Amino acid sequence: QVQLVESGGGLVQAGGSLGLSCAASGSFFSLNSMGWYRQTPGKQRELVAVITSSGNTNYADSVKGRFTISRDNAKNTVLLQMNSLKPEDTAVYYCYVQENRRLAPIRAHWGAGTQVTVSS
């Protein structure tokens, strides 16, 4: 089973920066893609950024050029560096991890979420 522990987030002024970290622990074969989603009240959860096990990345258009996702495979950790933050980035950010399993389909895991608030 995979446990995800998120850290980072908080309150920042517009134009500022924040970093999010998510560490996966537990007993598992290996990890596939890792990433971050976000959600605001009344809206669907949306992709922010994802990184594959080989390092390929994909970003939402709204964060391209401002956010950077990275991962440390040795530590089973995914990071999200958020720069030039805007009030519209305010949301609960969720860590997302795909677990590779032997002779079984990939399983998705979600973190509990961490609040990011950007004040104008």
Side-chain angles (χ1 to χ4, degrees), residues 4 6 35-49 60 62 90-97 108-114:
L4 300 178
E6 300 158 331
W36 294 91
Y37 283 68
R38 65 187 181 187
Q39 189 171 23
T40 54
K43 293 188 177 181
Q44 285 192 326
R45 195 170 294 186
E46 64 175 5
L47 172 71
V48 176
S62 59
T90 296
V92 177
Y93 284 69
Y94 294 92
C95 176
Y96 169 80
V97 168
H109 299 273
W110 293 92
T114 185

Side-chain angles (χ1 to χ4, degrees), residues 30-37 47 49-59 68-74 76-79 96-100 106:
S30 67
L31 299 178
N32 201 307
S33 292
M34 306 176 77
W36 294 91
Y37 283 68
L47 172 71
V50 65
I51 184 167
T52 68
S53 56
S54 58
N56 294 317
T57 59
N58 188 37
Y59 295 91
T68 302
I69 190 169
S70 61
R71 65 189 285 171
D72 184 333
N73 289 329
N76 296 317
T77 300
V78 60
L79 307 172
Y96 169 80
V97 168
Q98 291 182 335
E99 174 194 3
N100 292 318
I106 289 174

Side-chain angles (χ1 to χ4, degrees), residues 81-119:
Q81 180 61 38
M82 305 181 291
N83 298 327
S84 302
L85 283 161
K86 305 175 181 179
E88 50 264 43
D89 294 317
T90 296
V92 177
Y93 284 69
Y94 294 92
C95 176
Y96 169 80
V97 168
Q98 291 182 335
E99 174 194 3
N100 292 318
R101 299 186 292 166
R102 296 179 188 269
L103 303 177
I106 289 174
R107 177 185 288 168
H109 299 273
W110 293 92
T114 185
Q115 177 70 45
V116 171
T117 302
V118 185
S119 63

